[in-house]
Amino acid sequence: MTAFTPQFLHFDSLPSTNVEAANRAVEGAPEGLCVVAREQTAGRGRLERQWVSSKGAGLYCSIILRPQFYQSLWPLLTLMAAIAVHDALLDVYDLETDIKWPNDILVNDRKLCGILAETVDTPLGRAVILGIGVNLKHNSFPAELEGVATSVEAATGRNADLELVVEPLFGSIVKYYQMLQHLGGSKEIVQEWSARSSYASGKRVRLVNSGEIVEGFTRGLESDGGLRIETNTGEIRIFRAGDVTAVRTVYS
Ligand code: BTN
């Protein structure tokens, strides 16, 4: 099992902390190197989306991991990151959040944090770059994100300071990364994730994946983090990618 002490590299501005961390990993940077920036000029989201990253308005950071377990279990790293963000926000701000599969952090159904895991081939083997973006302040969302996104300040009414969150967050990542590497760790991570997510089971959802749209009720996670959905025909399907939204039931 590998354990590490996070080592931080702070930047005022970067195109993307994920890109910087990937470059460092290729140059041989060790597991646990964390790149943090006050601003990203080309912040990346899932599915080729942009991640709005105005200066001082959020936590934008990426950590290099060099997991030594089966690559089929690497999707659990993003679940692990979501658990760690959830716990850090609870510890620091007393803020109770929800996790939307696989790894969006929500408050009142609005997105507060996104996680982007990317792999990169390096001379030391394939590495994972785990990028985390947390909206801290609310003054800078473009119009299209109003109503969809939220921030720690909007959710708590308290001043949100980057410095307060970084260390507890990476402390949590170290803790759950160790858990994941134990024998039986995947099961524990799935349990921890499920305990923090209203999406784990019994939630009516719509999932869009490569043009396919599926509706049904969530029925728990597979041991590799795949989402089970019972479709309207009663079939259980398992998804390892896709965009999930909650579907509200309207009673008349
Ligand atoms: C998502 O679409 O939900 C994932 C967003 C991930 C954003 C973070 S901010 C830090 C890191 N650097 C990036 O360019 N993206 C991730």
Side-chain angles (χ1 to χ4, degrees), residues 16-18 40 42-46 51 60-62 104 111 114-116 131-133:
S16 156
T17 56
N18 264 33
Q40 297 184 117
R44 289 146 59 137
R46 286 174 67 228
W51 186 259
Y60 317 116
C61 59
S62 303
D104 284 349
K111 187 158 165 174
I115 295 165
L116 176 67
I132 300 173

Side-chain angles (χ1 to χ4, degrees), residues 114-130:
I115 295 165
L116 176 67
E118 298 180 291
T119 56
V120 57
D121 288 317
T122 81
L124 299 174
R126 185 163 285 188
V128 175
I129 309 299
L130 205 50

Side-chain angles (χ1 to χ4, degrees), residues 1 12 18 28 75 110 140 202 226:
M1 183 173 75
D12 192 47
N18 264 33
R110 294 180 182 210
S140 54

Side-chain angles (χ1 to χ4, degrees), residues 20-101:
E20 182 67 27
N23 291 340
R24 302 269 172 166
V26 170
E27 289 164 5
E31 176 164 82
L33 185 83
C34 307
V35 175
V36 184
R38 293 192 64 238
E39 169 192 61
Q40 297 184 117
T41 52
R44 289 146 59 137
R46 286 174 67 228
L47 310 170
E48 314 280 311
R49 293 178 189 136
Q50 180 203 7
W51 186 259
V52 176
S53 312
S54 315
K55 189 168 264 185
L59 168 61
Y60 317 116
C61 59
S62 303
I63 183 167
I64 299 174
L65 298 176
R66 296 187 179 276
Q68 297 301 309
F69 50 85
Y70 292 119
Q71 214 170 311
S72 57
L73 294 177
W74 287 12
L76 293 172
L77 292 166
T78 59
L79 301 192
M80 169 204 90
I83 298 168
V85 173
H86 173 282
D87 286 14
L89 293 172
L90 191 58
D91 286 355
V92 179
Y93 295 111
D94 209 14
L95 179 59
E96 189 64 65
T97 56
D98 194 7
I99 311 177
K100 179 163 78 79
W101 186 88

Side-chain angles (χ1 to χ4, degrees), residues 26-226:
V26 170
E27 289 164 5
E31 176 164 82
L33 185 83
C34 307
V35 175
V36 184
R38 293 192 64 238
E39 169 192 61
Q40 297 184 117
T41 52
R44 289 146 59 137
R46 286 174 67 228
L47 310 170
E48 314 280 311
R49 293 178 189 136
Q50 180 203 7
W51 186 259
V52 176
S53 312
S54 315
K55 189 168 264 185
L59 168 61
Y60 317 116
C61 59
S62 303
I63 183 167
I64 299 174
L65 298 176
R66 296 187 179 276
Q68 297 301 309
F69 50 85
Y70 292 119
Q71 214 170 311
S72 57
L73 294 177
W74 287 12
L76 293 172
L77 292 166
T78 59
L79 301 192
M80 169 204 90
I83 298 168
V85 173
H86 173 282
D87 286 14
L89 293 172
L90 191 58
D91 286 355
V92 179
Y93 295 111
D94 209 14
L95 179 59
E96 189 64 65
T97 56
D98 194 7
I99 311 177
K100 179 163 78 79
W101 186 88
N103 50 27
D104 284 349
I105 305 289
L106 309 181
V107 175
N108 296 327
D109 296 326
R110 294 180 182 210
K111 187 158 165 174
L112 183 85
C113 163
I115 295 165
L116 176 67
E118 298 180 291
T119 56
V120 57
D121 288 317
T122 81
L124 299 174
R126 185 163 285 188
V128 175
I129 309 299
L130 205 50
I132 300 173
V134 183
N135 301 327
L136 295 176
K137 299 181 188 289
H138 206 67
N139 48 11
S140 54
F141 289 135
E144 69 271 17
L145 291 183
E146 286 298 339
V148 179
T150 190
S151 65
V152 172
E153 284 196 353
T156 62
R158 287 169 58 188
N159 208 14
D161 184 355
L162 166 75
E163 308 305 326
L164 286 181
V165 206
V166 173
E167 296 219 356
L169 171 60
F170 285 98
S172 257
I173 288 181
V174 170
K175 171 179 160 189
Y176 290 110
Y177 190 49
Q178 283 178 329
M179 177 184 280
L180 183 54
Q181 293 173 88
H182 281 136
L183 193 63
S186 356
K187 202 171 160 195
E188 285 178 88
I189 288 294
V190 165
Q191 280 169 352
E192 297 284 352
W193 186 94
S194 302
R196 291 163 178 77
S197 172
S198 75
Y199 285 75
S201 198
K203 184 103 163 177
R204 185 160 178 78
V205 295
R206 176 177 302 121
L207 180 141
V208 180
N209 182 32
S210 311
E212 186 191 16
I213 301 175
V214 177
E215 275 197 24
F217 286 91
T218 58
R219 294 289 182 243
L221 300 190
E222 293 286 287
S223 57
D224 65 357

